[in-house]
Amino acid sequence: MKLNNSMALTKKQTSKNKWWGPIIWTILIFYFSIQIVQLVAPIIVSSLGNRTPLMLTLLGMSLFPVMFILVLLVNRYYYKRSLSSLGITGKEFIYKYLSGLGIGLILLLSVYVVNFAIGSLSTSVNNQIIWLEIFILFLAYVLQGFTEELLCRGFLMNLLSVKLGIWPAIIINSIIFTALHGMNNGITPLALINLTLAAMFFSLVFYLTNSLILVGAIHTAWNFLLGPVIGMAVSGGETSISVFQTVPDMQKSLYNGGDFGLEGGVIVTVILTMCCIMIYKMISKKNNMLHG
């Protein structure tokens, strides 16, 4: 596979030649983001007069704005790269973002419907929901999903692809993405496999579309719908505010993922594997058309 547009820009714009450099930077960005949050969080918590579930949830997600800023700083001032080299362009922004949200919706609903059909979970409406809180959480998940894709795909994958090639870049960034989630609550071997498959799916979609906007929207839609809408754990993280309240049958945790959430179940394994194969075939078809 040849470099896509953002990868080609990355090759043109940066002169750094150590393939392991982006991996070190990714780890450092993640580490220092955690340290900054741990330094500031106690101050914020102590100043909160009323520690509502919303405020505590947002505080728990405060890692992402810090990480977002650090990635952009390292990308701009160390690697001398533009936003376009990250796959960020304003062209067809709304169409790409809405398309990504739609794809994420279809993926999540596919997994949920199968689990619901086999009776591995039960769902009820939360009658005490405050819609303003749901909207605020959506904005938080927009930043969360985009930041994870910015770090692992736009930053890490593109830099690795220039030095090592497309497939090594996909595999390495997927392993690191999985490792960054490896200490989450409820983690299981199957959940680790699914996290790697998810990362490979995001990587393939990013390579095919050359759009961090679209892949970030898919990531956001999945996490937001799984957590604040359906009311299940997101990669092991508990959801305290949601439109629905969904309870997994722990005797069927092989299917619903148990405490880790749907991402830890075999239904996700099957669907993500199928999606990766489908996207790869689309890439192959596109390459054949370009060079045929």
Side-chain angles (χ1 to χ4, degrees):
M1 294 192 295
K2 295 180 64 176
L3 300 180
N4 65 15
N5 291 343
S6 61
M7 292 172 179
L9 274 176
T10 298
K11 184 176 182 178
K12 180 180 179 181
Q13 292 175 357
T14 184
S15 60
K16 307 298 181 181
N17 57 9
K18 303 297 184 181
W19 68 267
W20 43 263
I23 297 176
I24 301 300
W25 272 114
T26 298
I27 296 171
L28 288 175
I29 288 170
F30 185 74
Y31 173 77
F32 281 110
S33 296
I34 292 176
Q35 296 306 308
I36 292 171
V37 169
Q38 288 181 342
L39 180 66
V40 176
I43 300 174
I44 298 176
V45 170
S46 64
S47 66
L48 293 177
N50 183 18
R51 302 175 188 178
T52 65
L54 176 62
M55 296 181 74
L56 294 176
T57 299
L58 294 176
L59 185 62
M61 299 180 71
S62 60
L63 172 71
F64 299 105
V66 177
M67 191 184 301
F68 177 82
I69 293 171
L70 290 180
V71 174
L72 292 183
L73 288 175
V74 172
N75 185 74
R76 177 67 182 87
Y77 293 104
Y78 183 79
Y79 282 103
K80 312 297 183 182
R81 295 169 63 198
S82 64
L83 291 179
S84 296
S85 74
L86 294 166
I88 303 173
T89 63
K91 186 177 180 181
E92 298 182 325
F93 175 89
I94 296 177
Y95 171 76
K96 290 178 179 177
Y97 202 82
L98 291 179
S99 297
L101 292 179
I103 294 170
L105 171 64
I106 292 170
L107 279 174
L108 193 279
L109 283 181
S110 298
V111 176
Y112 174 82
V113 168
V114 173
N115 274 281
F116 186 82
I118 64 176
S120 73
L121 47 78
S122 59
T123 301
S124 59
V125 178
N126 180 5
N127 294 319
Q128 298 180 332
I129 191 63
I130 300 175
W131 289 103
L132 178 60
E133 292 184 340
I134 297 297
F135 177 72
I136 293 173
L137 284 177
F138 173 72
L139 297 179
Y141 274 94
V142 167
L143 180 60
Q144 182 262 344
F146 186 78
T147 299
E148 290 193 12
E149 293 308 309
L150 175 67
L151 177 64
C152 292
R153 256 60 72 181
F155 178 77
L156 178 60
M157 176 179 161
N158 272 11
L159 284 168
L160 289 176
S161 68
V162 170
K163 302 302 178 183
L164 301 177
I166 308 300
W167 278 112
I170 290 175
I171 293 170
I172 293 173
N173 101 76
S174 297
I175 292 173
I176 291 177
F177 176 85
T178 301
L180 296 181
H181 293 78
M183 298 301 291
N184 290 12
N185 295 331
I187 196 73
T188 65
L190 184 57
L192 291 173
I193 292 173
N194 287 347
L195 285 169
T196 305
L197 283 172
M200 293 188 71
F201 169 72
F202 290 138
S203 298
L204 289 169
V205 172
F206 178 53
Y207 174 78
L208 175 66
T209 65
N210 193 53
S211 175
L212 200 71
I213 304 300
L214 186 143
V215 76
I218 297 174
H219 199 146
T220 290
W222 175 277
N223 287 352
F224 174 71
L225 293 170
L226 181 57
V229 176
I230 291 178
M232 296 189 72
V234 180
S235 300
E238 294 185 5
T239 300
S240 58
I241 301 171
S242 59
V243 178
F244 299 95
Q245 296 173 328
T246 299
V247 179
D249 182 347
M250 298 307 291
Q251 293 183 341
K252 296 182 178 180
S253 59
L254 175 64
Y255 304 104
N256 59 43
D259 292 333
F260 193 76
L262 292 180
E263 295 158 316
V266 71
I267 305 300
V268 166
T269 311
V270 173
I271 290 178
L272 281 180
T273 299
M274 294 171 59
C275 288
C276 286
I277 293 172
M278 180 184 68
I279 299 300
Y280 176 71
K281 287 184 176 180
M282 293 174 66
I283 291 172
S284 297
K285 183 178 180 180
K286 180 180 180 180
N287 288 340
N288 289 336
M289 291 177 62
L290 290 175
H291 302 100

